[in-house]
Amino acid sequence: EPEVTQTPSHQVTQMGQEVILRCVPISNHLYFYWYRQILGQKVEFLVSFYNNEISEKSEIFDDQFSVERPDGSNFTLKIRSTKLEDSAMYFCASSDNSDANSPLHFGNGTRLTVT
Amino acid sequence: GEDVEQSLFLSVREGDSSVINCTYTDSSSTYLYWYKQEPGAGLQLLTYIFSNMDMKQDQRLTVLLNKKDKHLSLRIADTQTGDSAIYFCAESDYNQGGKLIFGQGTELSVKP
């Protein structure tokens, strides 16, 4: 069964550094998302992306964050200058083009640790 | 704003049925989902239900939706030790396609 893949599974970085989290969505999906889960808290929506542009973003998704689809397969989340509070599990998800409310399929996540 | 609430823990014996409950506040919820997260793994879609349905069955899983009370439940029949995981309820609003609001997750522990 097709799946969403994320790399790396664990990323450790120093405060102030830039990180890029990578995702390969399911190949025929056209809607892409990033969510995050801070340890002990709920999974939170960050951003949705469709047709090469952001369709919605949350208050968390400030100027430090950006997303890109650099080619036909990858979908990336960049954090320009990481802060301690960015430490979390980051999940990528995708859904197909039948309906924007089609079920989201999630990757296994990237655990980001900012020291 | 929208909110989704779940109890944090549930413990059952192998072979029993498990019922995981969820309440939500958004009256315009159109889709409600159950995801499973095993240790160290991602969010696996288990099942989902449209808001115009009140029940959906899929093998050992039964989802019940009480739209009036904004209550969703997931029943797992003949629970196995492999069902031990965290189960997340989530809802989405048709007007905000793809933006899921998650509950905090229920940790299901299955004892042999």
Side-chain angles (χ1 to χ4, degrees):
Chain A
E1 186 177 325
E3 57 183 31
V4 175
T5 56
Q6 290 186 243
T7 54
S9 56
H10 193 185
Q11 172 95 46
V12 181
T13 189
Q14 287 191 322
M15 198 167 52
Q17 295 296 304
E18 174 184 287
V19 293
I20 298 176
L21 309 183
R22 302 181 191 279
C23 170
V24 178
I26 295 173
S27 62
N28 66 335
H29 286 186
L30 295 180
Y31 295 85
F32 313 116
Y33 311 87
W34 284 100
Y35 283 75
R36 80 172 184 190
Q37 184 182 29
I38 294 172
L39 188 64
Q41 297 186 23
K42 293 185 179 183
V43 177
E44 303 172 287
F45 169 80
L46 290 179
V47 66
S48 58
F49 190 87
Y50 171 70
N51 201 24
N52 281 322
E53 59 183 28
I54 290 173
S55 44
E56 189 167 355
K57 60 183 180 179
S58 71
E59 292 173 354
I60 304 164
F61 195 88
D62 61 21
D63 292 343
Q64 295 291 336
F65 292 89
S66 62
V67 289
E68 195 177 27
R69 187 151 163 83
D71 53 43
S73 60
N74 290 284
F75 179 53
T76 61
L77 174 70
K78 182 194 288 187
I79 309 174
R80 285 187 186 81
S81 178
T82 50
K83 304 187 282 285
L84 293 176
E85 54 265 37
D86 294 327
S87 294
M89 180 75 90
Y90 287 80
F91 292 106
C92 173
S94 67
S95 66
D96 68 25
N97 61 344
S98 63
D99 184 325
N101 280 285
S102 295
L104 271 63
H105 296 264
F106 285 83
N108 281 347
T110 293
R111 181 171 297 286
L112 176 65
T113 302
V114 182
T115 61
Chain B
E2 305 95 340
D3 194 20
V4 177
E5 294 291 331
Q6 300 175 239
S7 52
L8 294 181
F9 300 102
L10 176 65
S11 180
V12 300
R13 292 227 170 262
E14 193 173 20
D16 287 351
S17 292
S18 308
V19 179
I20 302 171
N21 294 300
C22 169
T23 57
Y24 60 97
T25 59
D26 187 0
S27 56
S28 58
S29 292
T30 49
Y31 290 70
L32 295 128
Y33 305 86
W34 284 104
Y35 284 88
K36 176 183 179 184
Q37 186 180 37
E38 296 183 37
L43 299 167
Q44 175 196 353
L45 176 66
L46 281 181
T47 186
Y48 62 100
I49 189 168
F50 299 153
S51 59
N52 62 357
M53 299 168 63
D54 52 20
M55 187 181 95
K56 181 178 180 181
Q57 187 151 4
D58 183 2
Q59 298 182 339
R60 292 191 297 123
L61 305 179
T62 304
V63 179
L64 294 177
L65 174 60
N66 181 328
K67 202 174 176 184
K68 174 176 165 289
D69 293 339
K70 300 192 183 73
H71 182 267
L72 182 74
S73 68
L74 173 70
R75 179 177 180 270
I76 305 173
D78 186 25
T79 315
Q80 304 297 306
T81 53
D83 295 323
S84 293
I86 299 176
Y87 290 80
F88 291 92
C89 168
E91 62 94 9
S92 72
D93 177 343
Y94 182 77
N95 294 319
Q96 299 179 314
K99 178 184 172 183
L100 301 184
I101 307 296
F102 280 85
Q104 62 269 61
T106 299
E107 183 175 346
L108 174 65
S109 173
V110 183
K111 300 189 187 320

